[in-house]
Amino acid sequence: MSAQLESLTAAVNALLTVLESTRELATVSTIEKLSKEIVRCDEDLQDALAVVHRKLELQQDIKALREAIQERQVTISKVESVLATSLQSLEQKTFQGRQAVQAYEAATQAPLDVAAAVHAARRIGCSFTAAAPPTWGPESTLRPFPTELQMGASSLAQHGVSDWS
């Protein structure tokens, strides 16, 4: 673009030099030649201005794209952070799940001694280690202990234990 401007400047200077050096009266043919040269120079200038305008538009587009890229990078960083946290949580839950499965497998391999479980429950109950919750009151509709119906429907009743005293 600067080469075009230099070329135009040189052409205008050459025209001025020719006019000053000859110092002759302009004839019709000279005026026509000069007008054609001026029109050509004007067209070249218009072309150069169109190129400059297009370059400015492209620079604005590039700036807008860079800003959009920056915004996307911020969004990507946030998503990566959430994904990393989710992955860590998932790994933790997977570990806990494996532990629960191992505990279940260990529990199902050994048979349950119902009599020992009932005996341990009686010892806990007789040692006054079990009490009603601190928020429980006599007017409360829920009891801090199982009712006869609940005990009858429990797994202890299913295993043949019916003496609740």
Side-chain angles (χ1 to χ4, degrees), residues 2-146:
S2 61
Q4 289 176 339
L5 288 176
E6 289 174 9
S7 169
L8 292 174
T9 305
V12 170
N13 287 336
L15 286 174
L16 290 175
T17 305
V18 168
L19 286 176
E20 288 177 5
S21 65
T22 59
R23 300 226 183 237
E24 61 183 46
L25 291 173
T27 63
V28 172
S29 66
T30 307
I31 291 174
E32 285 178 0
K33 288 179 187 177
L34 287 175
S35 352
K36 288 180 183 178
E37 189 63 27
I38 290 172
V39 168
R40 188 188 62 75
C41 288
D42 182 54
E43 289 171 352
D44 289 346
L45 278 173
Q46 291 298 326
D47 291 343
L49 285 174
V51 169
V52 167
H53 182 67
R54 180 66 184 141
K55 283 187 178 183
L56 287 174
E57 288 176 347
L58 289 174
Q59 286 177 348
Q60 289 174 347
D61 290 346
I62 289 170
K63 182 179 178 183
L65 287 172
R66 284 183 178 154
E67 290 172 356
I69 288 170
Q70 190 70 16
E71 290 173 5
R72 294 296 194 286
Q73 286 176 339
V74 168
T75 303
I76 288 170
S77 292
K78 288 178 183 178
V79 169
E80 284 176 343
S81 174
V82 168
L83 286 175
T85 304
S86 298
L87 178 63
Q88 184 180 13
S89 175
L90 183 61
E91 288 173 346
Q92 188 177 28
K93 296 298 180 187
T94 303
F95 177 75
Q96 290 172 350
R98 284 186 184 137
Q99 284 183 329
V101 167
Q102 289 172 352
Y104 173 78
E105 288 174 350
T108 55
Q109 288 175 358
L112 176 66
D113 185 10
V114 177
V118 170
H119 181 57
R122 279 197 183 139
R123 281 194 5 213
I124 291 172
C126 291
S127 64
F128 302 105
T129 57
T135 58
W136 183 82
E139 66 278 350
S140 216
T141 58
L142 297 175
R143 298 285 148 219
F145 51 84

